[in-house]
């Protein structure tokens, strides 16, 4: 049976999602509006000023060689996308919040970054850009409900080239005002990914690199998966 119980659960959740179109996207729209309201000059400067080397320190050794294709889902101001581009990757920066996307385009105009207005969980516009050697979700997964995650994971899996990787961070702890987060289970995420043909190659718990998050008791789990086949 394809994928076992987790695959069946994901399909059932997708059916529920499709039967309730009004409810399904409201919470995500609230999150995006929260980011739009928060996108002041100070917020953008603080976000863009975080060093990617510290953020990705637990998985950086897994990154592909130069000339790889990378999709940065929830790219924000393009901080990580610019770093990936500097490393020699061709980057698709996917960001649904106009205020962040336009700031990113202004701040990071590297020729090997393409910007795309698209959103989880469906990522309907991404497939036109082909598959990727690396897909990243940094500080994104917590904004999806379990239902949304069950829809998003198969979508993400289809974006990844054979032997390509998915690297994501899971937030544990409270969210910022106006940007709702939902509890996330590392075990459930791993099993859902496995049902979509993604094999876990690293799991690493980590403290937040931001003092404000540390004060709130926020921690992270980094997960890295390789696409099987």
């Amino acid at each position: 049976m394809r994928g076992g119980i987790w695959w069946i659960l994901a399909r059932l959740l997708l059916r529920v999602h499709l039967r309730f179109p009004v409810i399904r996207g409201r919470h995500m729209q609230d999150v995006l509006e929260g980011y739009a309201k928060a996108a002041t000059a100070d917020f953008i400067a603080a976000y863009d000023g975080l060093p990617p080397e510290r953020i990705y320190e637990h998985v950086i050794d897994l990154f592909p060689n130069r000339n790889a294709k990378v999709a940065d889902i929830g790219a924000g101001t393009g901080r990580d996308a610019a770093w990936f581009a500097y490393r020699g990757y061709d980057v698709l920066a996917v960001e649904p919040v106009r205020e962040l996307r336009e700031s990113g385009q202004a701040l990071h105009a590297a020729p090997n970054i393409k910007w795309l207005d698209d959103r989880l969980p469906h990522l309907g516009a991404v497939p036109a850009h082909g598959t990727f050697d690396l897909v990243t979700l940094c500080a994104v997964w917590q904004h999806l409900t379990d239902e949304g995650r069950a829809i998003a994971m198969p979508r993400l899996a289809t974006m990844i080239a054979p032997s390509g990787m998915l690297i994501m961070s899971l937030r544990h702890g409270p969210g910022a005002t106006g940007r709702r987060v939902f509890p996330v289970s590392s075990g459930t995420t791993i099993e859902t990914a496995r049902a979509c043909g993604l094999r876990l190659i690293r799991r690493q718990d980590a403290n937040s690199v931001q003092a404000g998050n540390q004060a709130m008791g926020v921690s992270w789990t980094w997960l890295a998966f390789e696409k099987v086949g």
Side-chain angles (χ1 to χ4, degrees):
M1 182 178 295
R2 184 181 181 183
I5 188 65
W6 287 102
W7 176 261
I8 295 171
L9 178 60
R11 301 309 299 172
L12 287 173
L13 286 172
L14 177 58
R15 291 178 186 176
V16 170
H17 177 84
L18 293 174
R19 290 182 62 188
F20 297 96
V22 175
I23 297 174
R24 70 190 187 198
R26 183 64 253 173
H27 78 273
M28 180 54 71
Q29 186 60 36
D30 290 343
V31 169
L32 300 183
E33 290 173 1
Y35 274 106
K37 292 177 182 177
T40 63
D42 287 344
F43 175 90
I44 290 169
Y47 181 100
D48 212 63
L50 293 172
E53 294 89 347
R54 286 195 61 199
I55 294 170
Y56 290 92
E57 64 177 328
H58 300 290
V59 292
I60 192 172
D61 61 299
L62 299 174
F63 284 7
N65 296 325
R66 294 176 64 87
N67 303 319
K69 285 183 62 180
V70 175
D72 183 18
I73 309 300
T77 64
R79 175 199 65 210
D80 300 348
W83 183 58
F84 294 145
Y86 177 78
R87 292 174 63 90
Y89 303 150
D90 290 321
V91 185
L92 181 67
V94 181
E95 177 51 57
V97 178
R98 178 180 58 82
E99 290 81 356
L100 297 179
R101 189 175 63 252
E102 291 181 353
S103 295
Q105 289 171 313
L107 287 167
H108 306 294
N112 50 337
I113 301 176
K114 293 181 180 178
W115 286 86
L116 180 66
D117 178 6
D118 202 2
R119 68 176 63 179
L120 289 163
H122 293 95
L123 296 172
V126 172
H129 296 265
T131 57
F132 299 86
D133 303 296
L134 173 63
V135 175
T136 61
L137 287 88
C138 180
V140 172
W141 204 239
Q142 73 273 6
H143 292 308
L144 297 177
T145 62
D146 286 340
E147 175 193 343
R149 294 166 189 157
I151 295 164
M153 189 64 81
R155 297 286 197 275
L156 294 167
T158 63
M159 293 168 49
I160 304 169
S163 300
M165 286 186 296
L166 169 65
I167 292 178
M168 61 197 310
S169 60
L170 311 184
R171 179 178 177 129
H172 309 294
T177 302
R179 304 194 293 277
R180 186 178 181 184
V181 300
F182 297 89
V184 58
S185 163
S186 300
T188 299
T189 305
I190 292 167
E191 289 300 321
T192 305
R194 182 187 60 80
C196 297
L198 300 174
R199 179 177 65 90
L200 181 71
I201 57 175
R202 181 164 301 170
R203 174 179 178 171
Q204 178 66 54
D205 295 328
N207 295 323
S208 176
V209 300
Q210 299 184 63
N213 279 348
Q214 292 172 10
M216 292 193 299
V218 172
S219 63
W220 299 87
T221 300
W222 283 91
L223 300 177
F225 302 94
E226 182 180 36
K227 186 166 185 178
V228 178

